[in-house]
Amino acid sequence: ETGVTQTPRHLVMGMTNKKSLKCEQHLGHNAMYWYKQSAKKPLELMFVYNFKEQTENNSVPSRFSPECPNSSHLFLHLHTLQPEDSALYLCASSQDRRAEDNSPLHFGNGTRLTVT
Amino acid sequence: SQQGEEDPQALSIQEGENATMNCSYKTSINNLQWYRQNSGRGLVHLILIRSNEREKHSGRLRVTLDTSKKSSSLLITASRAADTASYFCATDLKRGKLIFGQGTELSVKP
């Protein structure tokens, strides 16, 4: 058990569907992240939230829409995705990102997304 | 090009041998972190080394950092089959972003 729970573990969706990925952390952290992991590519940072405020949007297409209602929950809303968006989407949390000495990330096990 | 790059991309060794993985980066960092990922799972943090540290140990793990060469190495001693995984370095840029490399796939054969 990692302390960061992601649901669903697997998701298959068509290009016209709308779906959401959910992440919940039980570690008392204040920062949450979405990363995309594609085969043969480094992890790509997508979004960062610190104390529920979005502090980083790494030029992510608008078909990905994050939501952070509180410090424990993070969502990634998906709509009109493309097949190249198929990947493992990882959620992570950490202590306050505003501290200069950034603390380690705690990851969930990811959602394996397939866009058909 | 990316901030962190691991070398080699894949490494296969026998149980009991040592495994060394290297990471190079391009810009100044606050700290450098190493993570492990088992197939189909999330990443797990292994060790963090700050920019003013040169070496750090944790169990069978030894990490070195050479800021003059902008490189780090992860040494796993007396490897076990259970160490089979992908290993990633991540650099903590001064503006607060954690950037991951492509990883080294380690296979430890029993």
Side-chain angles (χ1 to χ4, degrees), chain A residues 18-78:
Chain A
K18 289 184 180 181
K19 296 286 185 183
S20 295
L21 310 184
K22 179 182 176 183
C23 176
E24 183 175 0
Q25 59 97 0
H26 310 276
L27 301 169
H29 290 160
N30 297 313
M32 296 188 78
Y33 312 76
W34 281 116
Y35 279 88
K36 175 183 178 182
Q37 187 176 32
S38 305
K40 307 299 182 186
K41 293 176 68 175
L43 267 74
E44 300 172 51
L45 177 64
M46 299 176 72
F47 301 103
V48 181
Y49 278 82
N50 204 27
F51 291 94
K52 301 188 297 178
E53 291 184 19
Q54 188 179 122
T55 56
E56 187 80 29
N57 177 338
N58 205 26
S59 303
V60 180
S62 60
R63 58 185 184 270
F64 295 91
S65 175
E67 179 190 0
C68 189
N70 55 61
S71 292
S72 298
H73 293 86
L74 185 65
F75 296 90
L76 188 62
H77 303 299
L78 317 170

Side-chain angles (χ1 to χ4, degrees), chain B residues 4-102:
Chain B
E5 295 188 16
E6 285 93 342
D7 169 59
Q9 290 191 354
L11 179 62
S12 182
I13 59 175
Q14 293 295 130
E15 211 167 20
E17 293 180 341
N18 295 342
T20 299
M21 289 159 269
N22 303 295
C23 171
S24 60
Y25 58 93
K26 300 184 188 305
T27 62
S28 297
I29 59 172
N30 276 329
N31 64 55
L32 186 144
Q33 304 178 28
W34 284 91
Y35 288 78
R36 163 195 168 127
Q37 184 179 32
N38 287 83
S39 180
R41 308 295 292 264
L43 282 73
V44 175
H45 177 257
L46 295 176
I47 198 163
L48 179 155
I49 185 165
R50 293 187 171 82
S51 58
N52 62 352
E53 296 176 311
R54 292 296 168 257
E55 189 170 310
K56 204 158 182 181
H57 298 255
S58 176
R60 292 184 296 113
L61 306 181
R62 176 182 154 225
V63 168
T64 61
L65 179 65
D66 187 335
T67 53
S68 66
K69 295 181 180 178
K70 291 187 168 59
S71 68
S72 174
S73 67
L74 170 67
L75 169 67
I76 303 175
T77 60
S79 63
R80 304 166 183 169
D83 293 329
T84 295
S86 293
Y87 292 82
F88 297 86
C89 70
T91 48
D92 197 348
L93 303 183
K94 289 195 183 297
R95 64 176 183 270
K97 290 171 64 172
L98 195 63
I99 305 297
F100 287 82
Q102 238 174 316

